[in-house]
Amino acid sequence: MRTSFMVRTLTSMVLCVLLGTSVAAHPGSGIVVDKEGQVFFTDTGQGVWKIDRQGKLTYLPASLFHWMAIDEAGYFAVSQKNFGEWFERVTPQNSKPALIMSSDFPLTINRDGNLYYADTRPRSARIVRRTPDGKESVLAADEAFKGIAGIAAGPDGSLYITDANAIRKITMDGKVSQFASPEIIGSGKDRAINPPPESDASDCRGLAVDSGGIVYAAATGSRRVLKITPRGEVSTILQASSPWSPTGVAVFGGEVYVLEWQDAPPSLLETRRAWIPRVRKVGRDGKVTTLATVSRETTALASPQVKQENSSDLSTGVKIAVAAVVVLVVTTILGIKLAK
């Protein structure tokens, strides 16, 4: 009886871990701009891309992660390639600025030199502060944080987060307040015609804050980029047309850089390379220009990352087979030990 219970428990745990990985196939939100005006963005089907000032698109080897932050001062430039439990340094060690990626959680580098990330795991949802020497502390904790999809730092050090219900502001003493409501986020005209796959009207992902405290948010569910002033005035600065949806934003020199993704076919929603990224810029005059669009055909041989296609894209059949083997081996070991 004891062995049977342990086997059932183990089977459930292994299947949950293996089958749950396909959820991570949604497109990334990471886009940043350095002091030279170079744009970097995540491609969850391939790695990281750089667009230089001349418009040249260059591939940077990196893991297929969703979120990325820029560390201009290089506080984390001396870190190991992989540090903590969730983070990866994309740029060479000791180089500035440093690009830091996260596998599971949105992150940002604040003016105090610390990394802040949203631990969105159920029953432990929280905003965590991590110092360059690896010390962690909790800034704020709330079960509502399990839906966070974006985080950014404001000019005063406050954090802004997007979740399934609203855009919120968190001060450095842990006080949380609502900055924008779901009604404001989800009022785009395009959502009723052809919304992005598996998105609600109020879904909001990446965001950025300029030096004046103005928040720019990728309202993915309504295919828009919103501009929200500290006084609560809201305007749409970009309305993408289907099949494109914004997921990330960055601000530099008074211009807004937007990471967008082309909708994947319904049958390929969990296939990372079926999502196609592009970057557009909203100029100070409101003019929208396309800076780069990734072509899967021309970049198919660009890196070994493409060939391995990431272990999280294993088919369900393979995952179940692996789970069965693991359970069989552990069951045998348990049986031998119990027999003794």
Side-chain angles (χ1 to χ4, degrees):
M1 180 70 69
R2 180 183 175 189
T3 304
S4 176
F5 171 76
M6 295 178 70
V7 170
R8 289 197 304 269
T9 302
L10 178 63
T11 303
S12 298
M13 291 175 62
V14 172
L15 285 173
C16 283
V17 171
L18 291 172
L19 296 179
T21 57
S22 63
V23 176
H26 63 79
S29 301
I31 181 169
V32 297
V33 184
D34 69 12
K35 291 181 178 180
E36 302 300 322
Q38 298 183 114
V39 182
F40 302 84
F41 63 97
T42 57
D43 178 353
T44 44
Q46 198 154 350
V48 171
W49 294 95
K50 179 182 77 173
I51 308 172
D52 65 19
R53 293 297 298 270
Q54 288 70 46
K56 180 182 178 181
L57 184 65
T58 304
Y59 172 77
L60 302 179
S63 295
L64 311 186
F65 289 170
H66 295 89
W67 291 280
M68 182 168 62
I70 188 166
D71 177 10
E72 285 284 3
Y75 297 108
F76 290 83
V78 299
S79 66
Q80 296 299 311
K81 175 69 172 177
N82 297 288
F83 64 96
E85 198 173 350
W86 320 105
F87 310 109
E88 175 181 308
R89 176 179 43 75
V90 178
T91 44
Q93 195 168 36
N94 296 313
S95 68
K96 301 178 184 179
L99 297 178
I100 309 298
M101 299 183 74
S102 173
S103 58
D104 292 59
F105 307 132
L107 77 163
T108 189
I109 306 295
N110 208 341
R111 59 186 297 177
D112 61 4
N114 296 318
L115 183 156
Y116 291 80
Y117 69 95
D119 184 340
T120 56
R121 290 174 293 181
R123 296 180 297 279
S124 65
R126 54 191 179 167
I127 304 298
V128 181
R129 177 194 293 114
R130 182 183 179 88
T131 64
D133 59 2
K135 296 179 181 179
E136 293 194 347
S137 58
V138 177
L139 175 64
D142 194 307
E143 190 61 18
F145 292 167
K146 67 182 180 182
I148 293 176
I151 184 171
D156 64 348
S158 295
L159 300 178
Y160 294 80
I161 60 173
T162 57
D163 59 33
N165 297 310
I167 299 176
R168 306 180 196 279
K169 180 179 180 179
I170 306 176
T171 59
M172 285 295 96
D173 60 0
K175 182 179 179 181
V176 182
S177 59
Q178 181 169 281
F179 188 79
S181 67
E183 291 75 22
I184 291 176
I185 299 171
S187 60
K189 61 181 181 180
D190 191 52
R191 66 181 175 88
I193 302 172
N194 189 10
E198 301 183 338
S199 294
D200 293 328
S202 61
D203 281 356
C204 201
R205 297 192 63 187
L207 74 167
V209 188
D210 70 11
S211 59
I214 296 175
V215 174
Y216 297 87
T220 308
S222 56
R223 302 184 188 269
R224 298 180 299 156
V225 173
L226 302 178
K227 175 182 177 181
I228 310 171
T229 70
R231 295 187 297 274
E233 300 165 341
V234 182
S235 59
T236 297
I237 64 168
L238 183 148
Q239 174 76 64
S241 300
S242 302
W244 295 95
S245 302
T247 61
V249 289
V251 181
F252 176 74
E255 299 178 314
V256 181
Y257 295 78
V258 184
L259 173 60
E260 298 180 325
W261 293 80
Q262 187 178 50
D263 297 345
S267 61
L268 297 176
L269 291 180
E270 300 303 333
T271 301
R272 288 173 178 264
R273 286 174 57 79
W275 298 85
I276 308 297
R278 75 177 179 186
V279 173
R280 293 202 289 172
K281 181 180 72 174
V282 182
R284 287 182 288 272
D285 58 359
K287 181 181 179 180
V288 179
T289 56
T290 300
L291 301 184
T293 301
V294 174
S295 170
R296 295 301 186 208
E297 289 73 19
T298 58
T299 60
L301 301 178
S303 76
Q305 297 277 359
V306 179
K307 295 180 180 180
Q308 65 187 35
E309 192 61 27
N310 200 7
S311 59
S312 64
D313 282 334
L314 292 172
S315 67
T316 301
V318 173
K319 293 173 183 176
I320 293 175
V322 173
V325 172
V326 173
V327 172
L328 178 61
V329 171
V330 177
T331 300
T332 302
I333 294 174
L334 289 175
I336 293 174
K337 289 185 176 181
L338 291 175
K340 293 179 178 181

